[in-house]
Structure formats: structure tokens, C-alpha cells
């Protein structure tokens, strides 16, 4: 049981480039989340999804887009990368909103 | 909006001793969940313990226990018999049971870095 899998684990981007952070889970969870963790801070919610085809913004959505075409996958898209998006990104999922979230191992993204 | 505050950026404990990490939160809701997550240098987010606000009994998981004071909006984590492997960042997190808005997302404090001295 792989749980939540994020790829890549580490990436360096140039300013203005675009990329997609991949997240997939094999637990048939309805709820999925993207967080970012800046140095010395806790995690902040970027986007979330309550099921295939349904997504919504979290606290810090600017500069990002998401899609949820299947229950398993919840990719996060960065358009026109900016230095302020340098962070560690976590994907998480849960079967029900009252259950603990399962986290992926994170993606460390640096934008130079 | 709910907020979570961890007032101790860093803590240190001697191996085999006990340490308590503090967390306070602000909410107008009566029912919610509280969590402690551990983040070692590998950066994994590991659930340590959870507490349902409607339960008066404090949660325990082996060497980890909480002191949940609902009226004071306080949720501290006690680690007994500290081990070198307990060294990590510890995050306190809140989750609403309200199905409106961000459903089931976690609101995190800034974390407390715990060092364990041999």
C-alpha cells in the first residue's frame, strides 16, 4: 500500500517556467489537499478537492492551478514560476473529512 | 477564522526525561479536531496524536499524551521518556467539523523544534 505518492521529490525551476507537481493516492480517498510549507512556518492550504471534478481554493491559491479528473490523482500546476513560490509542497488525502490526513513525502521546489 | 499558536519555537529535553509542548488555538466552533504532527528531518508529516473536542478524556498514544483544556483553548503535548528519535519539528493543527468552506483541511501552527540531548 503506497499511500500518497508525490513526484518529483526535488526540482529547480527558472523564473517564468511552468511545471506540474504530481500527486496520486491509492486509498480511494475522496478528499485531497495541497499545502505549501515555507521555512520556519507551518503548512498552508493552496487548493483542495472533495472528489473527482470538484476543486476549490484554499488560503494561498495565487499562482497555482489544480485539476481532479480521477479519484486517484490531484496534480498542482505552477504557471510562470516566481521566487516567492520556493517552498516545500505537500499533498495529502483522507477518506472522510473527520479522518486524519495521509501526507506524501513532499516536493522541495526552488525557483531561481 | 481559526488560528493556531505555538509559542515555543524551540525546546530541548534530556533523553529519558519528559517535555511538554504548548499549543493554543482560537475558534468560535464547539466541535472540532486537534492534532499533533511530527516532522523529522526527512520532512515526512507523521501523525502523533489526535483529539476530538467533544471528548473530555485526554488522548494518549504510548509515550505521547495531551492535556486538552477546551475552555482555555489549550492543547499541549507531553512526551514521556524522551528518545533520540523524538527529535523533530512538532506541529499542532486544528480541523473544523464544519462542512462549509475548506472541508477537512488542517490549520497549522508554526511549529516547535524539539532537540533531544543524549
Amino acid at each position: 500500500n503506497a499511500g500518497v505518492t508525490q513526484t518529483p521529490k526535488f526540482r529547480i525551476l527558472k523564473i517564468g517556467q511552468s511545471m506540474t507537481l504530481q500527486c496520486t493516492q491509492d486509498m480511494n480517498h475522496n478528499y485531497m489537499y495541497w499545502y505549501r510549507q515555507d521555512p520556519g512556518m507551518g503548512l498552508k492550504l493552496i487548493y483542495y478537492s472533495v472528489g473527482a471534478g470538484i476543486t476549490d481554493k484554499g488560503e494561498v491559491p495565487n499562482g497555482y492551478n489544480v485539476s481532479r479528473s480521477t479519484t486517484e490523482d490531484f496534480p498542482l500546476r505552477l504557471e510562470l514560476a516566481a521566487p516567492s513560490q520556493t517552498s516545500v509542497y505537500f499533498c495529502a488525502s483522507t477518506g472522510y473529512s473527520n479522518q486524519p490526513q495521509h501526507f506524501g513525502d513532499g516536493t522541495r521546489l526552488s525557483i531561481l | 477564522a481559526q488560528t493556531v499558536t505555538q509559542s515555543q519555537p524551540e525546546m530541548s529535553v534530556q533523553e529519558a526525561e519528559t517535555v511538554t509542548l504548548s499549543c493554543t488555538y482560537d475558534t468560535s466552533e464547539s466541535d472540532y479536531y486537534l492534532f499533533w504532527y511530527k516532522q523529522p528531518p526527512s520532512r515526512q508529516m507523521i501523525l502523533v496524536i489526535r483529539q476530538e473536542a467533544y471528548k473530555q478524556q485526554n488522548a494518549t498514544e504510548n509515550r505521547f499524551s495531551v492535556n486538552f483544556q477546551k475552555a482555555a483553548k489549550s492543547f499541549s503535548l507531553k512526551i514521556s521518556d524522551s528518545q533520540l528519535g523524538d527529535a523533530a519539528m512538532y506541529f499542532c493543527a486544528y480541523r473544523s467539523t464544519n462542512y462549509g468552506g475548506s472541508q477537512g483541511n488542517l490549520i497549522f501552527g508554526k511549529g516547535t523544534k524539539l532537540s533531544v540531548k543524549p
Side-chain angles (χ1 to χ4, degrees):
Chain A
N1 191 345
V4 179
T5 303
Q6 289 184 238
T7 56
K9 294 191 182 304
F10 177 71
R11 182 77 182 266
I12 299 175
L13 281 182
K14 294 182 179 179
I15 295 171
Q17 287 185 322
S18 300
M19 77 162 294
T20 298
L21 279 64
Q22 301 291 343
C23 175
T24 187
Q25 50 90 9
D26 61 359
M27 297 170 283
N28 201 33
H29 285 170
N30 288 322
Y31 296 84
M32 295 189 74
Y33 311 86
W34 274 106
Y35 296 90
R36 61 177 285 172
Q37 183 181 24
D38 297 329
M41 303 290 287
L43 283 66
K44 292 187 177 181
L45 183 68
I46 305 171
Y47 271 94
Y48 69 100
S49 170
V50 301
I54 307 170
T55 63
D56 207 347
K57 298 177 180 178
E59 182 182 357
V60 289
N62 291 343
Y64 307 95
N65 278 299
V66 294
S67 60
R68 184 95 181 271
S69 58
T70 66
T71 298
E72 295 77 20
D73 300 307
F74 190 41
L76 177 71
R77 178 81 176 163
L78 278 73
E79 304 282 2
L80 298 175
S84 62
Q85 293 176 305
T86 293
S87 190
V88 178
Y89 292 83
F90 287 95
C91 180
S93 73
T94 184
Y96 298 92
S97 63
N98 63 347
Q99 295 298 310
Q101 295 184 10
H102 298 256
F103 283 84
D105 290 341
T107 295
R108 180 176 294 277
L109 180 63
S110 296
I111 299 166
L112 306 175
Chain B
Q2 296 84 15
T3 59
V4 176
T5 302
Q6 294 179 250
S7 58
Q8 307 154 316
E10 295 187 22
M11 292 283 285
S12 181
V13 64
Q14 204 72 32
E15 194 175 7
E17 297 294 311
T18 295
V19 65
T20 299
L21 308 184
S22 301
C23 173
T24 58
Y25 58 93
D26 188 28
T27 183
S28 59
E29 298 175 332
S30 59
D31 198 14
Y32 46 86
Y33 301 92
L34 295 165
F35 303 85
W36 279 98
Y37 279 88
K38 171 185 178 181
Q39 187 180 42
S42 65
R43 79 170 179 240
Q44 288 179 299
M45 292 294 289
I46 302 167
L47 178 65
V48 175
I49 200 165
R50 64 176 280 184
Q51 174 81 41
E52 291 91 343
Y54 67 86
K55 290 186 178 179
Q56 294 186 347
Q57 186 173 8
N58 289 324
T60 61
E61 287 288 342
N62 300 315
R63 297 183 295 107
F64 298 87
S65 61
V66 298
N67 183 5
F68 173 49
Q69 301 290 328
K70 190 173 184 179
K73 297 180 182 175
S74 171
F75 183 60
S76 60
L77 174 69
K78 185 171 81 172
I79 306 174
S80 303
D81 185 26
S82 296
Q83 301 175 0
L84 295 177
D86 295 334
M89 284 290 289
Y90 286 82
F91 291 97
C92 179
Y94 173 103
R95 186 170 71 201
S96 173
T97 59
N98 187 347
Y99 277 81
S102 301
Q103 298 188 24
N105 73 287
L106 295 165
I107 299 169
F108 287 87
K110 292 184 178 181
T112 296
K113 183 178 181 180
L114 178 66
S115 301
V116 181
K117 298 179 180 179

